[in-house]
Amino acid sequence: MKNRRSQARALGTLPENYLRTLAYRLRQPPRGFKIVKSGPVKEVIKLHNEADWTELPVPYHKDKDDAPYVTAMNIIRDPETGFYNSCHAGTHAVGPRRGLISFVTPHSHVIMRKYRDMGMDAMPIAFVFGLPPAYEIMANFSGLHMDAWGEMEMVGTIMDRDIEMVRCETLELNVPAEAEIVVEARVNLKDRFKVGEVTSPSMYNLPHYENLPEVEVSAITMRGDRPIYRNHQTCPDTDHQPLPRLCHEAVLYNRLSELGLDVKDVRFPTWGAALSCIIQFSYPREGMVNDALMLAMGAPWLNTKLVVALSPDTNLDDPVDVYHAIATRCYPAVPNTRGSPYDPAARPLEGQYPWRVVGKMGIDATIKSRHDPADFERAWPRNWGQVKLSDYL
Amino acid sequence: MALSISHRPPPPTKPLDPSLRGYLATNADIVTRVTKPVHMADIGALSAQSW
């Protein structure tokens, strides 16, 4: 899911129509889902002590991992509204039926609090492996649900087709009938356990530790014929950077269009460490670009530290082209320094052709000596640089 | 008559597959196929290299 080609295939459209399609479908009402009695994911059923998720091919993600790391989509149900919330909460598989789960989305924490407030000490959860990628795009939605849906109710909407759900074996929860593997579990809402060295989407080992709730596995169901285990690798630049931000892009597309801009694209580029956003559009008059930049920087997510506005002629698939536009088209805030006669953004000096004046900017992107040096250690997969994919094809 | 801007995308060309294995078959031209055995310790480093 790292590029527009595969993202477009997930929605059944062309790359040039992808963002407009996702933005349009997110504006539509929830389609919900159909409940069916059974499905392919029920071909093999392992209950209680028979269910051992360490038998699944769960990989370690980086050198500093203490346990295999599950990155599957998970489903939880809001006990108040009944809506189905989903995300990809990374989970350390620390035992045959035990995991430590890292919920990062605010909505997941709200739902956990509702279960606690209702006097319950456990929350049903299902880990779902192996679904069409449109499920993954929608599962990673973060933002207002308008009190009208959870992510699962919108999967059929963005796929433009009905989806079927089937009841879990040990939980009051429904899961996609066409999934490859489902792990049923309960989240312990009372206790927390310390886990070290998170793999952040910024590709560092941050934060250095978390206090996480545990999950207890109660069943595993799967297809009978070679069920597919889907791994979302978290480092280095992988699905981990763009996937949780694809719906961000569509939401921003809608908001920027409301400003009256002709939006061509919005990207949280895979190479932007999930901290930078590119907005690309043409505009009818002065003043609109700064409003667009402020709109993006004021987004509800913590991913718009750096926002760059670009014109439609820049190739967003090419970081070199993006850097070239930054170098040649911006007019920085430090004003009136000597400009290059080759810089089109610099202001021509009247009567002194071809000389110009320009602003300058300095970006300090060095390791900060005032911080803990360990904060800047990059996270890498095990054996990174030692194995080549081309040797295995 | 007032002008209006439509943000409606073109309709989908064909229905999406309901399952992952159907999706992988339909989109085989963009799927990287590993044909040789891979050690579990190398899964991360190898999958991170695919596009």
Side-chain angles (χ1 to χ4, degrees):
Chain A
M1 298 301 291
K2 289 194 288 191
N3 56 61
R4 281 288 190 254
R5 183 183 63 174
S6 56
Q7 292 156 15
R9 296 286 184 95
L11 298 186
T13 189
L14 299 172
E16 57 268 32
N17 295 324
Y18 157 79
L19 184 58
R20 192 158 53 123
T21 299
L22 180 59
Y24 173 77
R25 294 182 185 174
L26 285 178
R27 296 196 301 269
Q28 306 309 306
R31 190 166 181 142
F33 40 77
K34 288 185 173 178
I35 303 295
V36 296
K37 289 186 176 177
S38 191
V41 75
K42 298 292 189 181
E43 289 170 359
V44 175
I45 299 175
K46 296 185 175 186
L47 301 176
H48 309 299
N49 287 344
E50 279 191 334
D52 178 353
W53 74 344
T54 62
E55 292 178 353
L56 300 174
V58 188
Y60 287 77
H61 275 223
K62 62 181 188 301
D63 276 335
K64 292 192 175 184
D65 279 348
D66 291 328
Y69 197 57
V70 174
T71 51
M73 183 185 93
N74 65 68
I75 296 176
I76 59 177
R77 186 169 176 269
D78 188 316
E80 180 187 19
T81 65
F83 295 139
Y84 276 57
N85 182 269
S86 39
C87 63
H88 284 248
T91 307
H92 304 263
V94 293
R97 277 166 293 284
R98 184 171 183 256
L100 297 170
I101 186 165
S102 175
F103 288 110
V104 295
T105 65
H107 207 169
S108 299
H109 287 280
V110 168
I111 291 173
M112 290 171 70
R113 191 167 64 237
K114 287 184 179 181
Y115 277 95
R116 279 193 214 98
D117 291 347
M118 294 169 69
M120 305 176 79
D121 55 17
M123 174 179 73
I125 186 169
F127 297 88
V128 187
F129 302 79
L131 289 164
Y135 280 79
E136 301 175 351
I137 292 175
M138 195 63 229
N140 279 280
F141 182 91
S142 178
L144 272 180
H145 294 195
M146 307 302 289
D147 298 322
W149 47 264
E151 284 84 1
M152 286 304 299
E153 283 85 359
M154 284 292 285
V155 172
T157 310
I158 72 161
M159 289 185 76
D160 198 30
R161 64 164 299 146
D162 289 336
I163 64 165
E164 295 182 340
M165 301 276 275
V166 64
R167 188 182 174 89
C168 283
E169 297 299 311
T170 60
L171 307 172
E172 292 288 325
L173 203 61
N174 294 294
V175 290
E178 292 281 352
E180 296 286 326
I181 304 167
V182 167
V183 175
E184 301 177 17
R186 288 178 176 80
V187 180
N188 174 353
L189 299 174
K190 292 187 297 186
D191 304 313
R192 297 265 174 165
F193 301 85
K194 187 173 181 177
V195 176
E197 306 295 357
V198 176
T199 309
S200 72
S202 62
M203 298 182 263
Y204 292 101
N205 299 292
L206 288 174
H208 292 303
Y209 68 89
E210 294 177 294
N211 291 309
L212 303 180
E214 65 180 343
V215 295
E216 182 182 359
V217 173
S218 55
I220 298 177
T221 68
M222 65 180 80
R223 290 173 180 252
D225 178 25
R226 294 168 294 168
I228 301 170
Y229 180 91
R230 164 72 159 121
N231 174 51
H232 302 75
Q233 179 62 26
T234 50
C235 66
D237 47 339
T238 60
D239 287 342
H240 198 195
Q241 286 76 38
L243 188 55
R245 278 149 280 278
L246 295 180
C247 285
H248 295 7
E249 293 170 353
V251 170
L252 283 175
Y253 174 95
N254 286 332
R255 297 287 89 79
L256 292 167
S257 297
E258 287 175 334
L259 281 181
L261 302 169
D262 184 6
V263 183
K264 181 180 181 186
D265 210 343
V266 179
R267 295 270 188 103
F268 289 84
T270 307
W271 33 270
L275 293 171
S276 69
C277 178
I278 299 170
I279 52 179
Q280 185 177 41
F281 52 82
S282 52
Y283 56 99
R285 57 188 172 277
E286 232 180 289
M288 302 190 83
V289 177
N290 283 348
D291 276 1
L293 288 168
M294 286 192 292
L295 185 152
M297 285 188 279
W301 326 286
L302 302 178
N303 305 121
T304 54
K305 172 187 176 186
L306 172 66
V307 183
V308 179
L310 295 175
S311 290
D313 63 334
T314 298
N315 178 7
L316 304 194
D317 290 319
D318 182 4
V320 173
D321 211 31
V322 173
Y323 193 92
H324 180 267
I326 293 172
T328 59
R329 294 182 172 183
C330 73
Y331 195 102
V334 178
N336 295 330
T337 66
R338 291 172 302 139
S340 165
Y342 310 122
D343 182 353
R347 179 169 58 83
L349 280 172
E350 192 174 344
Q352 299 185 60
Y353 184 85
W355 300 109
R356 298 171 180 239
V357 291
V358 75
K360 288 184 179 174
M361 65 179 169
I363 298 176
D364 176 1
T366 64
I367 291 174
K368 301 293 174 286
S369 58
R370 60 186 179 275
H371 294 171
D372 181 351
D375 288 358
F376 295 90
E377 291 176 8
R378 289 283 302 273
W380 299 106
R382 294 192 169 193
N383 298 332
W384 183 248
Q386 298 174 43
V387 289
K388 289 183 179 177
L389 179 60
S390 56
D391 292 339
Y392 292 84
L393 304 181
Chain B
M1 189 176 76
L3 292 174
S4 65
I5 299 171
S6 172
H7 295 283
R8 184 187 294 266
T13 51
K14 56 183 178 181
L16 290 171
D17 294 289
S19 69
L20 176 59
R21 52 187 65 202
Y23 171 84
L24 293 174
T26 299
N27 297 285
D29 61 312
I30 62 168
V31 173
T32 302
R33 295 188 71 86
V34 171
T35 61
K36 298 173 185 174
V38 170
H39 194 280
M40 278 296 292
D42 296 334
I43 293 288
L46 292 172
S47 59
Q49 294 173 48
S50 73
W51 272 88

